[in-house]
Amino acid sequence: MLKDIADIAPKALVVSIIAWGGANYFIIGPEIASRVVRADHVPLCEGNFKNLVAKAADEQAASIPLPQIDAAQEFAADQARRMLNSPFMNDLRGMSQGMGDYFGFDGTVQQTFALIEQQKRAAREAYERSLAQLKDKTASDLARAGDVCGCVADQAIGETRTDWAIFSGTLSVIRPTSLKLFDQKMVRVHASGGCTAAKTGS
């Protein structure tokens, strides 16, 4: 095709066209693409990314098991409390004649209470640890929104480089369909996982 053009057009014009096309493909097009995409498309990408991170965090938080109350254990503890404060126990304390927990009931019941409370506290702490770890991971992922979307933008621009060259080379008179649907292009690049895998470890 270039040979046909060269046959009917002055060589200086052909050289100028080639130079203009090369400049738009290698320099002008990518620069315009970078500015347009970072102004018009990256903010939307960041918002979508943060929404995805927040939704995933909510789902993970809901999947963390809540500290469970052992019904049988609670029943036993309640019975032990009742026994500890019963008239029978008061009579036994009276029989000890000031010697303290002579029959060992008070100590046994108190040890049972302490064990139950220790188990409940451990379960509560494990739950809170899991939530704290999830909160830290979520904050870290949210902070990477700019990096992830910058990566997505660069890949999407690279895949549409020729179209950006046409756009800039025609002084925006021709806007290829891929540029009109550039947000969708970024969504597909994001969904491919290359940028999110590198940035969030997901």
Side-chain angles (χ1 to χ4, degrees), residues 46-191:
E46 290 180 356
N48 289 339
F49 177 78
K50 288 178 180 179
N51 287 338
L52 287 173
V53 169
K55 182 179 178 182
D58 288 343
E59 291 174 354
Q60 290 176 38
S63 70
I64 297 174
L66 292 170
Q68 296 297 312
I69 296 176
D70 188 324
Q73 193 178 64
E74 287 295 314
F75 177 77
D78 184 62
Q79 293 301 309
R81 288 188 194 95
R82 290 174 182 273
M83 187 180 77
L84 195 61
N85 297 314
S86 68
F88 173 72
M89 288 298 296
N90 288 331
D91 290 343
L92 286 179
R93 291 187 190 99
M95 292 172 58
S96 69
Q97 299 178 353
M99 297 178 62
D101 187 21
Y102 182 76
F103 296 97
F105 290 117
D106 283 355
T108 299
V109 172
Q110 293 299 338
Q111 286 178 359
T112 300
F113 287 158
L115 179 61
I116 291 172
E117 286 304 313
Q118 182 182 15
Q119 291 172 344
K120 289 166 68 174
R121 185 168 56 251
R124 216 166 32 241
E125 289 173 352
Y127 176 72
E128 290 170 357
R129 257 194 320 274
S130 295
L131 284 181
Q133 290 170 356
L134 177 59
K135 183 178 178 181
D136 289 344
K137 181 182 182 301
T138 300
S140 177
D141 286 347
L142 288 173
R144 293 188 177 102
D147 290 339
V148 171
C149 288
C151 170
V152 169
D154 289 342
Q155 285 193 22
I157 289 170
E159 292 178 13
T160 54
R161 187 167 187 159
T162 300
D163 294 335
W164 284 105
I166 293 170
F167 176 73
S168 64
T170 61
L171 303 178
S172 76
V173 172
I174 299 176
R175 188 181 183 91
T177 302
S178 66
L179 304 192
K180 295 176 183 177
L181 303 176
F182 199 77
D183 283 329
Q184 294 180 24
K185 179 67 173 177
M186 288 185 65
V187 168
R188 287 194 294 272
V189 171
H190 184 272

Side-chain angles (χ1 to χ4, degrees), residues 17-40:
I17 292 173
I18 293 172
W20 179 244
N24 278 279
Y25 186 82
F26 291 106
I27 301 171
I28 302 172
E31 179 61 24
I32 289 176
S34 179
R35 293 185 182 188
V36 170
V37 170
R38 276 160 178 76
D40 298 342

